[in-house]
Amino acid sequence: MARVMAGPAGPASAPASARQYDKQTTEPISFYLSSLEELLAWKSTSDDAFNISTEPLAQRQPPLNSRRPRTLVCHDMKGGYLEDRFIQGTEVCDPYVFYHWHYIDIFVYFSHHTVTIPPVVWTNAAHRNGVLMLGTFITEWTEGRKICESFLSGETEAYRAVAEQLAEIAHFYAFDGWLVNIENSLSVSAARNLPHFLQYLTAQVHKHVPGGQVVWYDSVVRSGELKWQNELNENNRVYFDACDGFFTNYNWKEEHLLRTREVADDRRIDVYVGVDVFGRGDVVSGGFDTNKSLRMIREQGLSVAIFAPGWVYEHLGPKDFLNNEDKFWARLSELLPVHSIGSLPFCTSFNLGMGKRNFDKGQENRTEPWYNLSAQEIQPIYTKQRMPHGGWLQTRCCLQDAWCGGSSLLLEGTIPSDAHHVTARLFSFQVPAPPRVFLLIIYKQASQAVTISPQFTTRRRSSVCPPSPESHSPEPTRHHPSPLLTPPPRVAQFLRGCGQHGKHGWQSRCYEVELQNCFLDELSITASRRQSDQGEMSFACRLGKIWVLDALALRSPAPTAAASPVLPIEVTHVHWHPSSAGWLSLSLNLHWTYPSSKAICFRVHYRSWACASGPVSPLLPIGEAHAPLYRVMELRVPEAHSESSSCRLEFLVEPVSEDGLQVDPAMWGKLVFVYSDPKLPSTASSDSV
């Protein structure tokens, strides 16, 4: 247990940089760089740790370098850095979220600041779902021309310094590269150096960021003139040849696509044809008709860049956003091949990273709205379908109830009178199937007239490993896992981590299936009627959590998370402010070390110990961290009774493991914080950090 003494000056009480912290609240925020000078002066500091993504890029199939056309989403909403800038989350009703990750390959966070560093909450969510995250380097108009002349018209060292800084920023904050957008005219000398800069930047990103990408936006041509081409041609091919991808402007027609395909030749999937969902300019389509543009693009075997899909939220409003969002992506889905989960174990609670309330093991533990995309978990395939002879089936997000987090997955529909069951596909896999698979499901259903059960499909192993859509692998085989009435001991541990079964209406079930020489292909949920001849039958079921586990892996020694203590907690940036009579307001940073693979997040708690002979308070929650650090903000604590007396706080950090098993409290991180007469700011001083 660490112990910190806080006297008049306090430990590590030097002010923190305002760039990494909100000026009003001192909470950690994501940020951008506004100028070339800021970019060249950038150096990492300990305060930047909040902005480093802790989520490794999940394995996905097929890999990005496969030969099928890709889908890029470019997120542009109201200038960016809205509620998503708050790294520890914030209270907001009906925020914008993106969750159809299985359709896309690359996500670009776009703004009109010179250097757009993606907010870490977005990078965490994208990586968890196997999607690359790119930032944006942009110059525009008169000021942009000045910037470009300053680093492109001179010596090689100038543009190399810019490229090296951009690559180092992507590496340090753990995102995957850059969209480069030069929307201003250039001098002859600057235009001559631009392809060299782009080529060097691409090489530096590849060197420092495994699997990194640099994508060029269709803007200036090789002469330096700002002239959008709406296609790849000989006027801009020099930039395409220098980097990983080309993002066309939006005002194209079919003839542009034909010429682009011819020029791109065997690199056609590296061309991302731009589609503005707002439908601005002379475009083929936008809004709910975006599929018309997408169909034309796919007919030529080209990739697509969907720009500003936040149109659904901005244009139609937040009131019915989730339904409208599902409608928008459903209209595109037949033209967007999904990427598949590429490894086991697999686990999700369907958390969107937001909610009107928050739940833990089915019990409500927070009644305020919240938003934190770092908490978003792997998302399913959302579907809505009508049967040929009546009946329908839909999966959608449910914010009214959850097992863990702010949402569950609602499976609802009607089984038609001539059918025994309906089946909803949830996840696509391309994973070599272990000989024996365990599947655990936590769910809640109102009616017992329908049974809920899982279904796997598999594909036979072949010379193509894993099978791809181009390999024409055999038809899948369906498997119906058998329920386990008495799960093996290690699986029983997982179920015990679920808490009291049946509490708050949630149930848990364990299944097993034996497989041989195949790949897992899909995981679906089937709703079946218990009795025949009952006519149409409506049903609804909430899915709270799903695990897919390799039985052989469970025979290995028990998880070691409980044997991994949180290493000593360090304290920095302590700030005191007066509160009410007899009370103070305390803010500080807590840092600790813990193996990243053994915790999905950390819960931070505290208790107030005796000031002189005062009582000891119960253990109280402060917040949740998705990295091994947390800023405590404006914690109300008692004032010491005199200069000679002292008060004591205890901070505790609880690792949260994916399997739901509680880590022994003896292994939590603990810090005793003792204070007596802290130095308070004068009324004339600034409250900024």
Side-chain angles (χ1 to χ4, degrees):
M1 179 186 294
R3 185 181 179 93
V4 173
M5 303 293 292
S13 57
S17 166
R19 184 174 73 184
Q20 292 97 344
Y21 297 90
D22 185 78
K23 292 181 180 179
Q24 279 71 46
T25 66
T26 80
E27 60 192 304
I29 57 173
S30 293
F31 61 90
Y32 51 83
L33 303 177
S34 298
S35 65
L36 190 66
E37 291 73 23
E38 285 189 24
L39 170 62
L40 293 173
W42 175 87
K43 291 182 179 179
S44 62
T45 71
S46 59
D47 290 314
D48 285 306
F50 283 103
N51 275 286
I52 299 173
S53 173
T54 56
E55 191 70 32
L57 183 64
Q59 294 183 40
R60 43 81 57 86
Q61 293 291 343
L64 193 72
N65 61 2
S66 70
R67 301 310 301 166
R68 77 176 188 183
R70 307 182 194 115
T71 303
L72 178 152
V73 159
C74 190
H75 173 68
D76 176 25
M77 181 173 286
K78 301 179 181 179
Y81 299 96
L82 305 173
E83 294 88 357
D84 53 7
R85 74 185 186 276
F86 296 108
I87 296 170
Q88 295 180 173
T90 187
E91 290 186 12
V92 59
C93 293
D94 302 319
Y96 174 76
V97 292
F98 180 82
Y99 53 95
H100 290 276
W101 295 104
H102 51 274
Y103 290 134
I104 75 168
D105 304 287
I106 299 173
F107 189 97
V108 178
Y109 194 89
F110 181 88
S111 81
H112 291 275
H113 303 289
T114 304
V115 179
T116 299
I117 300 170
V120 64
V121 297
W122 278 105
T123 305
N124 285 339
H127 281 185
R128 190 170 293 122
N129 286 276
V131 173
L132 271 67
M133 174 62 66
L134 306 187
T136 305
F137 177 61
I138 188 172
T139 63
E140 298 177 282
W141 315 120
T142 303
E143 185 60 31
R145 181 182 174 98
K146 292 178 182 177
I147 291 173
C148 289
E149 293 304 312
S150 69
F151 80 94
L152 286 174
S153 63
E155 299 298 322
T156 301
E157 289 74 14
Y159 71 71
R160 287 195 168 192
V162 172
E164 288 165 2
Q165 284 289 83
L166 289 172
E168 176 56 27
I169 286 172
H171 168 72
F172 179 80
Y173 293 115
F175 61 95
D176 305 294
W178 297 97
L179 170 68
V180 178
N181 186 1
I182 307 298
E183 293 205 76
N184 48 260
S185 59
L186 300 172
S187 67
V188 173
S189 58
R192 187 184 307 117
N193 276 333
L194 180 55
H196 301 298
F197 161 70
L198 195 60
Q199 185 176 41
Y200 187 70
L201 171 61
T202 303
Q204 288 297 299
V205 168
H206 291 176
K207 177 181 177 181
H208 295 288
V209 182
Q213 294 275 298
V214 174
V215 176
W216 170 262
Y217 178 70
D218 168 23
S219 49
V220 296
V221 294
R222 61 182 179 179
S223 66
E225 181 184 4
L226 177 59
K227 191 174 183 180
W228 299 272
Q229 301 293 288
N230 303 298
E231 66 179 18
L232 176 66
N233 58 34
E234 293 305 321
N235 291 321
N236 53 31
R237 180 174 180 167
V238 64
Y239 306 120
F240 180 54
D241 292 340
C243 67
D244 298 301
F246 185 93
F247 182 155
T248 78
N249 194 43
Y250 313 103
N251 299 318
W252 49 266
K253 298 293 183 284
E254 187 175 14
E255 55 266 28
H256 295 90
L257 301 180
L258 293 171
R259 289 193 292 265
T260 294
R261 173 177 173 154
E262 182 178 353
V263 173
D265 197 22
D266 61 352
R267 284 191 65 198
R268 67 186 62 165
I269 63 168
D270 294 331
V271 178
Y272 301 88
V273 180
V275 177
D276 182 0
V277 180
F278 277 84
R280 293 164 286 205
D282 184 16
V283 300
V284 172
S285 64
F288 285 125
D289 291 329
T290 297
N291 58 317
K292 296 177 182 178
S293 297
L294 182 55
R295 189 174 302 280
M296 293 173 64
I297 294 166
R298 293 304 198 214
E299 286 173 353
Q300 303 306 322
L302 299 167
S303 294
V304 64
I306 301 174
F307 183 76
W311 168 87
V312 176
Y313 185 89
E314 292 192 65
H315 181 70
L316 300 175
K319 183 178 179 181
D320 200 27
F321 167 65
L322 295 178
N323 286 331
N324 287 328
E325 181 79 344
D326 289 344
K327 176 183 175 181
F328 175 82
W329 288 98
R331 293 176 68 88
L332 304 181
S333 60
E334 65 172 307
L335 300 163
L336 299 176
V338 301
H339 61 78
S340 304
I341 295 160
S343 63
L344 294 181
F346 166 76
C347 179
T348 184
S349 295
F350 306 101
N351 189 359
L352 275 189
M354 54 85 73
K356 299 181 182 299
R357 297 171 290 171
N358 196 71
F359 297 83
D360 181 36
K361 296 180 180 176
Q363 183 170 355
E364 183 179 279
N365 63 1
R366 174 175 176 167
T367 58
E368 305 85 10
W370 64 276
Y371 173 70
N372 186 347
L373 286 176
S374 286
Q376 188 183 92
E377 298 188 43
I378 299 173
Q379 294 298 300
I381 299 169
Y382 290 86
T383 59
K384 185 174 184 179
Q385 52 186 297
R386 293 203 169 271
M387 314 301 174
H389 305 292
W392 59 277
L393 179 65
Q394 180 178 11
T395 55
R396 62 183 177 91
C397 172
C398 172
L399 298 176
Q400 284 67 48
D401 198 0
W403 172 254
C404 183
S407 55
S408 57
L409 183 70
L410 179 61
L411 171 63
E412 60 182 348
T414 298
I415 303 174
S417 57
D418 62 347
H420 176 259
H421 64 269
V422 292
T423 300
R425 180 176 66 146
L426 296 187
F427 297 100
S428 174
F429 288 86
Q430 283 190 28
V431 181
R436 192 179 181 201
V437 173
F438 288 135
L439 177 68
L440 287 76
I441 300 178
I442 297 175
Y443 67 99
K444 176 189 285 191
Q445 63 182 116
S447 170
Q448 299 303 314
V450 170
T451 61
I452 301 298
S453 60
Q455 174 184 284
F456 274 120
T457 61
T458 62
R459 293 184 184 271
R460 192 176 70 247
R461 292 203 192 197
S462 63
S463 57
V464 180
C465 182
S468 67
E470 295 80 12
S471 67
H472 305 291
S473 55
E475 284 298 308
T477 302
R478 290 181 175 83
H479 304 266
H480 299 279
S482 304
L484 283 175
L485 298 179
T486 307
R490 287 290 304 282
V491 176
Q493 278 189 299
F494 284 82
L495 295 177
R496 282 197 297 273
C498 299
Q500 184 178 344
H501 301 167
K503 192 174 183 181
H504 309 292
W506 292 95
Q507 307 174 60
S508 61
R509 294 289 184 271
C510 181
Y511 301 84
E512 69 172 345
V513 61
E514 294 186 358
L515 304 169
Q516 187 175 9
N517 195 33
C518 60
F519 280 87
L520 291 182
D521 182 57
E522 289 182 354
L523 170 60
S524 303
I525 294 292
T526 295
S528 307
R529 59 173 80 239
R530 288 185 183 272
Q531 298 179 4
S532 57
D533 303 325
Q534 291 181 311
E536 286 194 352
M537 177 171 291
S538 298
F539 68 92
C541 172
R542 291 183 175 91
L543 299 178
K545 192 161 189 170
I546 287 181
W547 287 278
V548 181
L549 305 163
D550 179 351
L552 184 61
L554 289 180
R555 294 175 186 167
S556 60
T560 57
S564 299
V566 174
L567 296 182
I569 300 174
E570 298 180 0
V571 176
T572 61
H573 298 317
V574 178
H575 296 275
W576 296 94
H577 291 276
S579 182
S580 54
W583 294 88
L584 299 172
S585 175
L586 170 65
S587 299
L588 50 78
N589 288 359
L590 303 174
H591 310 252
W592 60 91
T593 302
Y594 197 78
S596 59
S597 62
K598 294 181 179 178
I600 57 172
C601 64
F602 302 89
R603 295 187 184 119
V604 182
H605 313 267
Y606 88 102
R607 64 164 59 97
S608 178
W609 288 73
C611 288
S613 58
V616 177
S617 73
L619 190 65
L620 299 172
I622 299 177
E624 188 173 276
H626 293 269
L629 70 167
Y630 186 83
R631 179 154 182 82
V632 177
M633 293 172 295
E634 299 179 354
L635 183 65
R636 191 168 178 263
V637 299
E639 189 175 15
H641 297 296
S642 66
E643 292 186 10
S644 60
S645 65
S646 62
C647 297
R648 199 169 93 167
L649 301 173
E650 185 178 34
F651 294 100
L652 298 99
V653 173
E654 174 192 2
V656 179
S657 61
E658 190 173 59
D659 57 23
L661 301 177
Q662 184 175 21
V663 174
D664 185 346
M667 298 297 167
W668 296 8
K670 298 180 180 65
L671 172 79
V672 175
F673 186 88
V674 181
Y675 63 95
S676 55
D677 183 27
K679 183 178 180 181
L680 301 179
S682 65
T683 55
S685 66
S686 170
D687 287 343
S688 68
V689 297

